[in-house]
Coordinates of all heavy atoms in Angstrom, one line a residue:
M1 N 60.3 146.8 61.7 CA 59.9 146.0 62.9 C 59.0 146.9 63.9 O 59.2 148.1 64.0 CB 61.1 145.6 63.7 CG 61.7 144.3 63.3 SD 62.6 143.5 64.7 CE 64.2 144.4 64.6
T2 N 58.0 146.3 64.5 CA 57.2 147.0 65.4 C 58.0 147.2 66.7 O 59.0 146.5 66.9 CB 55.9 146.2 65.8 OG1 56.3 145.0 66.5 CG2 55.1 145.8 64.6
F3 N 57.5 148.1 67.6 CA 58.2 148.3 68.9 C 58.3 147.0 69.7 O 59.3 146.7 70.2 CB 57.4 149.4 69.7 CG 57.9 149.6 71.0 CD1 59.2 150.2 71.2 CD2 57.3 149.2 72.2 CE1 59.7 150.4 72.4 CE2 57.8 149.5 73.4 CZ 59.0 150.1 73.5
K4 N 57.2 146.2 69.7 CA 57.2 145.0 70.4 C 58.3 144.0 69.9 O 59.0 143.4 70.7 CB 55.8 144.3 70.3 CG 55.5 143.3 71.4 CD 54.0 143.0 71.5 CE 53.8 141.9 72.5 NZ 53.2 140.7 71.9
Q5 N 58.4 143.9 68.6 CA 59.4 143.1 68.0 C 60.8 143.5 68.3 O 61.7 142.7 68.6 CB 59.2 143.0 66.4 CG 58.0 142.2 66.0 CD 57.7 142.4 64.5 OE1 58.0 143.5 64.0 NE2 57.1 141.4 63.9
N6 N 61.0 144.9 68.3 CA 62.3 145.4 68.7 C 62.6 145.1 70.2 O 63.8 144.7 70.5 CB 62.3 146.9 68.6 CG 62.7 147.3 67.2 OD1 63.7 147.0 66.7 ND2 61.8 148.1 66.5
M7 N 61.6 145.1 71.1 CA 61.8 144.8 72.5 C 62.2 143.3 72.6 O 63.0 143.0 73.4 CB 60.6 145.2 73.3 CG 60.3 146.6 73.5 SD 61.7 147.5 74.3 CE 62.5 148.3 73.0
E8 N 61.5 142.5 71.8 CA 61.8 141.0 71.9 C 63.2 140.8 71.4 O 63.9 140.0 72.1 CB 60.8 140.3 71.1 CG 59.4 140.1 71.8 CD 58.3 139.7 70.9 OE1 58.5 139.5 69.7 OE2 57.1 139.7 71.4
A9 N 63.6 141.4 70.4 CA 65.0 141.3 69.8 C 66.0 141.7 70.9 O 67.0 141.0 71.1 CB 65.1 142.1 68.6
M10 N 65.7 142.8 71.6 CA 66.6 143.3 72.6 C 66.7 142.4 73.8 O 67.8 142.3 74.4 CB 66.3 144.7 73.0 CG 66.9 145.8 72.1 SD 66.5 147.5 72.6 CE 67.9 147.7 73.7
S11 N 65.6 141.8 74.1 CA 65.6 140.9 75.3 C 66.4 139.6 75.0 O 66.9 139.0 76.0 CB 64.2 140.5 75.7 OG 63.6 139.6 74.7
K12 N 66.7 139.3 73.8 CA 67.5 138.1 73.4 C 69.0 138.5 73.3 O 69.8 137.6 73.2 CB 67.0 137.6 72.1 CG 65.7 136.9 72.2 CD 65.3 136.2 70.9 CE 63.8 135.8 71.0 NZ 63.0 136.3 69.9
M13 N 69.3 139.8 73.4 CA 70.7 140.2 73.3 C 71.5 139.8 74.6 O 70.9 139.8 75.7 CB 70.8 141.7 73.1 CG 70.4 142.2 71.8 SD 70.5 144.0 71.7 CE 69.9 144.3 70.1
S14 N 72.8 139.7 74.5 CA 73.6 139.6 75.7 C 73.7 140.9 76.4 O 73.4 142.0 75.8 CB 75.0 139.1 75.3 OG 75.7 140.2 74.6
P15 N 74.0 140.9 77.7 CA 74.1 142.2 78.4 C 75.0 143.2 77.7 O 74.7 144.4 77.6 CB 74.6 141.9 79.8 CG 74.3 140.4 80.0 CD 74.3 139.8 78.6
E16 N 76.1 142.7 77.2 CA 77.1 143.6 76.4 C 76.4 144.2 75.2 O 76.6 145.4 74.9 CB 78.4 142.8 76.0 CG 79.2 142.3 77.2 CD 78.6 141.1 77.9 OE1 77.8 140.4 77.3 OE2 79.0 140.9 79.1
E17 N 75.8 143.3 74.4 CA 75.1 143.8 73.2 C 74.0 144.9 73.5 O 73.9 145.9 72.8 CB 74.4 142.6 72.5 CG 75.4 141.8 71.7 CD 74.7 140.5 71.1 OE1 73.7 140.0 71.8 OE2 75.1 140.1 70.1
R18 N 73.3 144.6 74.6 CA 72.2 145.5 75.0 C 72.8 146.8 75.4 O 72.3 147.9 75.0 CB 71.4 144.9 76.1 CG 70.0 145.4 76.1 CD 69.1 144.7 77.1 NE 69.1 143.3 76.9 CZ 69.3 142.4 77.9 NH1 69.5 142.8 79.1 NH2 69.3 141.1 77.6
E19 N 73.9 146.8 76.2 CA 74.5 148.0 76.6 C 75.0 148.8 75.4 O 74.9 150.1 75.4 CB 75.7 147.6 77.5 CG 76.0 148.7 78.6 CD 77.2 148.2 79.5 OE1 76.9 147.2 80.2 OE2 78.2 148.8 79.4
A20 N 75.6 148.1 74.5 CA 76.1 148.8 73.3 C 74.9 149.5 72.5 O 75.0 150.6 72.0 CB 76.8 147.8 72.4
K21 N 73.8 148.8 72.4 CA 72.6 149.3 71.7 C 72.1 150.5 72.4 O 71.8 151.5 71.8 CB 71.6 148.2 71.6 CG 70.3 148.5 71.0 CD 70.3 148.5 69.5 CE 68.9 148.8 68.9 NZ 68.9 148.9 67.4
V22 N 72.0 150.4 73.7 CA 71.5 151.6 74.5 C 72.4 152.8 74.4 O 71.9 153.9 74.2 CB 71.3 151.2 76.0 CG1 71.1 152.4 76.9 CG2 70.1 150.2 76.2
G23 N 73.7 152.5 74.3 CA 74.7 153.6 74.1 C 74.5 154.3 72.7 O 74.5 155.5 72.6
E24 N 74.2 153.4 71.7 CA 74.0 153.9 70.4 C 72.7 154.8 70.3 O 72.7 155.9 69.7 CB 73.8 152.7 69.5 CG 74.0 152.8 68.0 CD 73.7 151.4 67.4 OE1 74.4 150.4 67.7 OE2 72.7 151.3 66.7
L25 N 71.7 154.3 71.0 CA 70.4 155.0 71.0 C 70.5 156.3 71.8 O 69.9 157.3 71.4 CB 69.3 154.1 71.6 CG 68.9 152.8 70.8 CD1 67.9 152.0 71.6 CD2 68.4 153.1 69.4
T26 N 71.2 156.3 72.9 CA 71.4 157.5 73.7 C 72.1 158.6 72.8 O 71.7 159.8 72.9 CB 72.2 157.2 74.9 OG1 71.6 156.2 75.6 CG2 72.3 158.4 75.9
K27 N 73.0 158.2 72.0 CA 73.7 159.2 71.1 C 72.7 159.8 70.1 O 72.9 161.0 69.7 CB 74.9 158.6 70.4 CG 76.1 158.5 71.2 CD 77.3 158.1 70.3 CE 78.2 157.1 71.1 NZ 78.8 156.1 70.3
M28 N 71.7 159.1 69.7 CA 70.7 159.5 68.8 C 69.6 160.4 69.4 O 68.9 161.1 68.7 CB 70.1 158.3 68.0 CG 71.1 157.6 67.1 SD 70.5 155.9 66.8 CE 69.2 156.1 65.7
C29 N 69.4 160.3 70.7 CA 68.3 160.9 71.4 C 68.4 162.4 71.3 O 69.5 163.0 71.5 CB 68.3 160.5 72.9 SG 67.1 161.3 73.9
I30 N 67.3 163.1 70.9 CA 67.2 164.5 70.7 C 66.5 165.3 71.9 O 66.3 166.5 71.8 CB 66.6 164.9 69.4 CG1 65.2 164.4 69.2 CG2 67.5 164.4 68.2 CD1 64.4 164.9 68.0
C31 N 66.3 164.6 73.0 CA 65.6 165.2 74.1 C 66.3 166.5 74.5 O 65.6 167.5 75.0 CB 65.6 164.3 75.3 SG 64.3 163.0 75.2
A32 N 67.6 166.6 74.5 CA 68.3 167.8 74.9 C 67.9 169.1 74.2 O 68.1 170.2 74.7 CB 69.8 167.6 74.8
D33 N 67.3 168.9 73.0 CA 66.8 170.1 72.2 C 65.4 170.4 72.4 O 64.8 171.2 71.8 CB 67.1 169.8 70.7 CG 68.6 169.7 70.4 OD1 69.4 170.4 71.0 OD2 68.9 168.9 69.5
C34 N 64.7 169.6 73.3 CA 63.3 169.7 73.4 C 62.9 170.8 74.4 O 63.5 171.0 75.4 CB 62.8 168.4 74.0 SG 61.0 168.4 74.5
P35 N 61.8 171.6 74.1 CA 61.4 172.7 75.0 C 61.0 172.2 76.4 O 61.1 172.9 77.4 CB 60.2 173.3 74.3 CG 59.8 172.4 73.2 CD 61.0 171.6 72.9
T36 N 60.5 171.0 76.5 CA 60.2 170.4 77.8 C 61.4 170.1 78.7 O 61.4 170.1 79.9 CB 59.3 169.1 77.6 OG1 58.1 169.5 77.0 CG2 59.0 168.4 78.9
Y37 N 62.5 169.9 78.0 CA 63.8 169.5 78.6 C 64.7 170.7 79.0 O 65.2 170.7 80.1 CB 64.5 168.5 77.7 CG 65.8 167.8 78.2 CD1 65.7 166.5 78.6 CD2 67.0 168.5 78.2 CE1 66.8 165.8 79.0 CE2 68.1 167.8 78.7 CZ 68.0 166.5 79.1 OH 69.1 165.8 79.5
V38 N 64.8 171.6 78.0 CA 65.7 172.7 78.1 C 65.4 173.6 79.4 O 64.3 173.9 79.6 CB 65.7 173.6 76.9 CG1 66.5 174.9 77.0 CG2 66.2 172.8 75.7
G39 N 66.5 173.8 80.2 CA 66.3 174.6 81.4 C 65.8 173.9 82.6 O 65.7 174.6 83.7
T40 N 65.6 172.6 82.5 CA 65.1 171.9 83.7 C 66.2 171.4 84.6 O 66.0 171.1 85.8 CB 64.2 170.7 83.3 OG1 65.0 169.8 82.5 CG2 63.0 171.1 82.5
G41 N 67.4 171.4 84.1 CA 68.5 170.8 84.8 C 68.6 169.3 84.7 O 69.5 168.7 85.2
E42 N 67.7 168.7 83.9 CA 67.8 167.3 83.7 C 69.0 166.9 82.9 O 69.4 167.7 82.0 CB 66.5 166.8 82.9 CG 66.4 165.3 82.5 CD 66.6 164.4 83.7 OE1 67.7 164.1 84.2 OE2 65.5 163.9 84.2
K43 N 69.7 165.8 83.2 CA 70.9 165.4 82.4 C 70.7 164.1 81.7 O 71.4 163.8 80.8 CB 72.1 165.2 83.4 CG 72.5 166.5 84.2 CD 73.5 167.3 83.4 CE 74.1 168.5 84.2 NZ 73.0 169.5 84.5
K44 N 69.7 163.3 82.2 CA 69.4 162.0 81.6 C 68.8 162.2 80.2 O 68.2 163.2 79.9 CB 68.5 161.2 82.5 CG 69.2 160.8 83.8 CD 68.3 159.9 84.6 CE 69.0 159.5 85.9 NZ 68.1 158.9 86.8
L45 N 68.9 161.1 79.4 CA 68.3 161.0 78.1 C 67.6 159.7 77.9 O 67.6 158.9 78.8 CB 69.4 161.2 77.0 CG 70.1 162.6 77.0 CD1 71.4 162.5 76.1 CD2 69.2 163.7 76.4
L46 N 67.1 159.4 76.7 CA 66.5 158.1 76.4 C 65.4 157.7 77.3 O 65.3 156.5 77.7 CB 67.6 157.1 76.3 CG 67.4 155.9 75.4 CD1 67.4 156.3 73.9 CD2 68.4 154.8 75.6
F47 N 64.5 158.6 77.6 CA 63.3 158.3 78.5 C 62.4 157.2 77.9 O 61.7 156.5 78.7 CB 62.5 159.6 78.8 CG 63.4 160.7 79.4 CD1 63.7 161.8 78.6 CD2 63.8 160.6 80.7 CE1 64.5 162.8 79.1 CE2 64.6 161.6 81.2 CZ 65.0 162.7 80.4
C48 N 62.4 157.1 76.6 CA 61.6 156.1 75.9 C 62.0 154.7 76.4 O 61.2 153.7 76.4 CB 61.6 156.2 74.4 SG 63.3 156.1 73.7
A49 N 63.3 154.5 76.8 CA 63.8 153.3 77.3 C 63.8 153.2 78.9 O 63.5 152.2 79.5 CB 65.2 153.0 76.8
T50 N 64.3 154.4 79.4 CA 64.5 154.3 80.9 C 63.3 154.8 81.7 O 63.2 154.6 82.9 CB 65.7 155.3 81.3 OG1 65.4 156.6 80.8 CG2 67.0 154.8 80.6
G51 N 62.3 155.4 81.1 CA 61.1 155.8 81.8 C 61.1 157.2 82.3 O 62.0 158.0 81.9
K52 N 60.2 157.6 83.1 CA 60.0 159.0 83.5 C 61.2 159.6 84.1 O 62.0 159.0 84.8 CB 58.9 159.0 84.6 CG 57.5 158.8 84.1 CD 56.5 158.8 85.2 CE 55.2 158.2 84.8 NZ 54.2 158.1 85.9
S53 N 61.3 161.0 83.9 CA 62.3 161.8 84.5 C 61.9 162.1 85.9 O 60.7 162.3 86.2 CB 62.4 163.1 83.7 OG 63.1 164.1 84.5
K54 N 62.8 162.2 86.9 CA 62.5 162.6 88.2 C 62.4 164.1 88.3 O 62.0 164.6 89.3 CB 63.5 162.0 89.2 CG 63.5 160.5 89.3 CD 64.3 160.0 90.5 CE 64.1 158.5 90.8 NZ 64.7 157.7 89.7
I55 N 62.9 164.8 87.3 CA 63.0 166.2 87.4 C 62.0 166.9 86.5 O 61.4 167.9 86.9 CB 64.5 166.6 86.9 CG1 65.5 166.1 87.9 CG2 64.6 168.2 86.7 CD1 66.9 166.2 87.5
I56 N 61.8 166.4 85.3 CA 60.8 167.1 84.4 C 59.4 166.8 84.8 O 59.0 165.6 85.0 CB 61.0 166.6 82.9 CG1 62.4 167.0 82.5 CG2 60.0 167.2 82.0 CD1 62.9 166.3 81.1
K57 N 58.6 167.9 85.0 CA 57.2 167.7 85.4 C 56.2 168.4 84.5 O 55.1 168.1 84.3 CB 57.0 168.3 86.8 CG 57.9 167.6 87.9 CD 57.4 166.2 88.2 CE 58.4 165.5 89.2 NZ 58.5 164.1 88.9
E58 N 56.8 169.5 83.8 CA 55.9 170.3 83.0 C 56.0 170.0 81.5 O 57.2 170.1 81.0 CB 56.2 171.8 83.3 CG 55.1 172.8 83.1 CD 55.5 174.2 83.3 OE1 56.4 174.5 84.1 OE2 55.0 175.1 82.5
E59 N 55.0 169.7 80.8 CA 55.0 169.4 79.4 C 54.9 170.6 78.6 O 53.9 171.3 78.6 CB 53.9 168.4 79.1 CG 54.0 167.0 79.8 CD 52.9 166.1 79.6 OE1 51.9 166.5 79.0 OE2 53.0 164.9 80.0
K60 N 56.0 170.9 77.8 CA 56.0 172.1 76.9 C 56.1 171.7 75.4 O 56.7 172.5 74.7 CB 57.1 173.0 77.4 CG 56.9 173.5 78.8 CD 58.1 174.4 79.1 CE 58.1 174.9 80.6 NZ 59.3 175.6 80.9
G61 N 55.7 170.6 75.1 CA 55.9 170.1 73.7 C 56.9 168.9 73.7 O 57.8 168.9 74.6
C62 N 56.7 168.0 72.8 CA 57.6 166.8 72.7 C 58.0 166.6 71.3 O 57.2 166.5 70.4 CB 56.8 165.5 73.2 SG 57.7 164.0 73.1
I63 N 59.3 166.5 71.1 CA 59.9 166.4 69.8 C 60.2 164.9 69.4 O 60.8 164.7 68.4 CB 61.1 167.3 69.5 CG1 62.2 167.0 70.5 CG2 60.7 168.8 69.7 CD1 63.5 167.8 70.2
C64 N 59.9 164.0 70.3 CA 60.2 162.6 70.0 C 59.8 162.1 68.6 O 60.5 161.3 68.0 CB 59.5 161.7 71.1 SG 60.3 161.7 72.7
P65 N 58.6 162.5 68.1 CA 58.3 161.9 66.8 C 59.3 162.3 65.7 O 59.3 161.7 64.6 CB 56.9 162.6 66.5 CG 56.3 162.8 67.8 CD 57.5 163.2 68.7
G66 N 60.1 163.3 65.9 CA 61.2 163.7 65.0 C 62.5 163.0 65.2 O 63.5 163.3 64.6
C67 N 62.6 162.2 66.2 CA 63.8 161.6 66.7 C 64.1 160.3 65.9 O 63.2 159.5 65.6 CB 63.7 161.3 68.1 SG 65.1 160.2 68.8
P68 N 65.4 160.1 65.5 CA 65.7 158.8 64.7 C 65.5 157.6 65.5 O 65.2 156.5 64.9 CB 67.2 159.0 64.4 CG 67.7 160.1 65.2 CD 66.6 161.0 65.6
V69 N 65.5 157.6 66.9 CA 65.2 156.5 67.7 C 63.8 156.1 67.6 O 63.4 154.9 67.6 CB 65.6 156.7 69.2 CG1 65.2 155.6 70.1 CG2 67.1 157.0 69.3
Y70 N 62.9 157.1 67.5 CA 61.5 156.8 67.3 C 61.2 155.9 66.1 O 60.5 154.9 66.2 CB 60.8 158.2 67.1 CG 59.4 158.3 67.4 CD1 58.9 158.6 68.7 CD2 58.4 158.1 66.4 CE1 57.5 158.7 68.9 CE2 57.1 158.3 66.6 CZ 56.6 158.5 67.9 OH 55.3 158.7 68.1
E71 N 61.8 156.3 65.0 CA 61.7 155.5 63.8 C 62.3 154.1 63.9 O 61.7 153.1 63.6 CB 62.4 156.3 62.7 CG 62.2 155.8 61.3 CD 60.9 156.3 60.7 OE1 60.5 157.4 61.0 OE2 60.3 155.5 60.0
N72 N 63.6 154.2 64.4 CA 64.4 153.0 64.5 C 63.8 151.9 65.4 O 63.9 150.7 65.1 CB 65.8 153.5 65.1 CG 66.8 152.4 65.1 OD1 66.8 151.5 65.9 ND2 67.8 152.6 64.3
M73 N 63.1 152.3 66.5 CA 62.6 151.4 67.4 C 61.1 151.1 67.2 O 60.5 150.3 67.9 CB 62.8 151.9 68.9 CG 64.3 152.0 69.3 SD 65.2 150.4 69.1 CE 64.5 149.5 70.5
G74 N 60.5 151.8 66.3 CA 59.0 151.6 66.1 C 58.2 152.2 67.2 O 57.1 151.7 67.5
L75 N 58.7 153.2 67.8 CA 57.9 153.9 68.9 C 56.7 154.6 68.3 O 56.7 155.1 67.2 CB 58.8 154.9 69.6 CG 59.9 154.2 70.5 CD1 61.0 155.2 70.8 CD2 59.3 153.7 71.8
R76 N 55.6 154.7 69.1 CA 54.4 155.3 68.7 C 53.8 156.3 69.7 O 52.7 156.8 69.5 CB 53.4 154.3 68.3 CG 53.7 153.5 67.1 CD 52.6 152.4 66.8 NE 52.8 151.3 67.6 CZ 51.8 150.8 68.4 NH1 50.7 151.4 68.5 NH2 52.0 149.7 69.1
W77 N 54.6 156.6 70.8 CA 54.0 157.4 71.8 C 54.8 158.7 72.0 O 55.7 159.0 71.2 CB 54.0 156.6 73.1 CG 53.3 155.3 72.9 CD1 51.9 155.1 73.0 CD2 53.8 154.1 72.5 NE1 51.6 153.8 72.7 CE2 52.7 153.2 72.4 CE3 55.1 153.7 72.2 CZ2 52.9 151.8 71.9 CZ3 55.3 152.3 71.7 CH2 54.2 151.4 71.6
D78 N 54.5 159.5 73.0 CA 55.3 160.7 73.3 C 55.4 161.0 74.8 O 54.9 160.2 75.6 CB 54.7 161.9 72.5 CG 53.2 162.2 72.9 OD1 52.8 161.5 73.9 OD2 52.6 163.0 72.3
Y79 N 56.1 162.0 75.1 CA 56.3 162.4 76.5 C 56.7 161.3 77.4 O 56.1 161.0 78.5 CB 55.0 163.1 77.1 CG 54.7 164.5 76.6 CD1 53.7 164.8 75.7 CD2 55.6 165.5 77.0 CE1 53.5 166.1 75.3 CE2 55.3 166.8 76.6 CZ 54.3 167.1 75.7 OH 54.1 168.4 75.3
Y80 N 57.7 160.6 76.9 CA 58.3 159.5 77.7 C 58.8 160.0 79.1 O 58.8 159.3 80.1 CB 59.4 158.7 76.9 CG 58.8 158.2 75.6 CD1 59.1 158.9 74.4 CD2 58.0 157.1 75.6 CE1 58.6 158.4 73.2 CE2 57.5 156.6 74.4 CZ 57.8 157.3 73.2 OH 57.2 156.8 72.1
C81 N 59.3 161.2 79.1 CA 59.9 161.8 80.3 C 58.8 162.0 81.4 O 59.1 162.1 82.6 CB 60.6 163.1 80.0 SG 59.6 164.4 79.3
T82 N 57.6 162.2 81.0 CA 56.5 162.5 82.0 C 55.5 161.3 82.1 O 54.9 161.1 83.1 CB 55.7 163.8 81.7 OG1 55.2 163.7 80.4 CG2 56.6 165.0 81.9
K83 N 55.4 160.6 81.0 CA 54.3 159.5 80.9 C 54.9 158.1 81.1 O 54.1 157.2 81.4 CB 53.6 159.6 79.6 CG 52.7 160.8 79.4 CD 52.0 160.7 78.1 CE 51.1 162.0 77.8 NZ 50.7 162.0 76.4
G84 N 56.2 157.9 80.9 CA 56.8 156.6 81.1 C 57.4 156.1 79.8 O 57.1 156.6 78.7
S85 N 58.1 155.0 80.0 CA 58.9 154.4 78.8 C 57.9 153.8 77.8 O 56.7 153.7 78.0 CB 59.7 153.2 79.4 OG 58.9 152.2 79.8
G86 N 58.5 153.5 76.6 CA 57.7 152.9 75.5 C 57.0 151.6 76.0 O 55.8 151.4 75.7
K87 N 57.7 150.8 76.8 CA 57.1 149.6 77.3 C 56.0 149.9 78.2 O 54.9 149.2 78.1 CB 58.2 148.8 78.1 CG 59.0 147.8 77.3 CD 59.9 147.1 78.2 CE 60.3 145.7 77.7 NZ 61.2 145.1 78.6
E88 N 56.1 150.9 79.1 CA 55.0 151.2 80.0 C 53.8 151.7 79.2 O 52.7 151.3 79.5 CB 55.5 152.3 81.0 CG 56.4 151.7 82.0 CD 57.1 152.8 82.9 OE1 57.6 153.8 82.3 OE2 57.2 152.6 84.1
Q89 N 54.1 152.6 78.2 CA 53.0 153.2 77.4 C 52.4 152.1 76.5 O 51.2 152.2 76.1 CB 53.5 154.4 76.7 CG 53.9 155.5 77.6 CD 53.9 156.9 76.9 OE1 52.9 157.3 76.3 NE2 55.0 157.6 77.0
A90 N 53.1 151.1 76.1 CA 52.6 150.1 75.2 C 51.9 149.0 76.0 O 51.2 148.2 75.5 CB 53.7 149.4 74.4
G91 N 52.1 149.0 77.4 CA 51.5 148.1 78.2 C 52.1 146.7 78.1 O 51.4 145.7 78.2
I92 N 53.4 146.6 77.8 CA 54.1 145.3 77.7 C 55.2 145.2 78.7 O 55.6 146.1 79.3 CB 54.7 145.0 76.3 CG1 55.6 146.1 75.8 CG2 53.6 144.8 75.3 CD1 56.4 145.8 74.5
Ligands
SF4_101 S1 62.2 159.0 71.2 FE1 62.3 160.7 72.6 S2 63.1 159.9 74.5 FE2 63.4 158.4 72.9 S3 65.5 158.8 72.2 FE3 64.2 160.0 70.9 S4 64.0 162.0 71.8 FE4 64.8 160.6 73.3
SF4_102 S1 60.6 162.6 76.0 FE1 59.7 164.0 74.6 S2 58.9 165.7 75.9 FE2 60.4 164.5 77.1 S3 62.3 165.6 76.8 FE3 62.2 164.0 75.3 S4 61.4 165.0 73.5 FE4 60.9 166.3 75.2

């Protein structure tokens, strides 16, 4: 499925289903191992869904393309923590 199709599927979920899916994706997120993330004091994850970090400002490499969520959701962008969510970067 493309990212857009995944977003459409998620928009049809009940709030409970969506929450469960977001929880599942958060467990898969590898941002905590990323050079841009480490040492910043950021605690949040899943920027591809939630959008920019309020803390991370400096880009030191992005490991998103190696993340299972990237594959799973059909994501095609990077630096979600500084550039914005998948939806924002896809313009949808
Ligand atoms: S694609 Fe990037 S922001 Fe999204 S879950 Fe994976 S590591 Fe985190
Ligand atoms: S979105 Fe990309 S650059 Fe930002 S912390 Fe996650 S892996 Fe690193």
Side-chain angles (χ1 to χ4, degrees):
M1 271 206 280
T2 65
F3 178 67
K4 200 163 174 239
Q5 287 167 333
N6 274 304
M7 287 301 102
E8 280 162 8
M10 276 184 85
S11 71
K12 290 183 190 127
M13 288 178 182
S14 69
E16 294 77 21
E17 281 174 329
R18 205 173 308 129
E19 206 176 298
K21 176 83 178 177
V22 167
E24 200 182 294
L25 296 174
T26 304
K27 276 190 219 146
M28 290 158 75
C29 178
I30 59 170
C31 284
D33 295 326
C34 170
T36 293
Y37 188 101
V38 173
T40 58
E42 178 58 278
K43 298 273 188 292
K44 290 185 182 166
L45 294 165
L46 206 71
F47 305 106
C48 55
T50 59
K52 287 179 196 172
S53 163
K54 290 192 173 68
I55 296 168
I56 298 170
K57 301 290 173 211
E58 209 184 324
E59 296 176 351
K60 296 179 185 170
C62 176
I63 60 173
C64 286
C67 170
V69 175
Y70 200 87
E71 189 79 38
N72 190 289
M73 296 303 286
L75 287 160
R76 289 181 281 120
W77 306 273
D78 59 8
Y79 285 110
Y80 302 100
C81 60
T82 54
K83 293 183 182 164
S85 68
K87 269 181 152 177
E88 288 169 316
Q89 295 199 54
I92 56 172

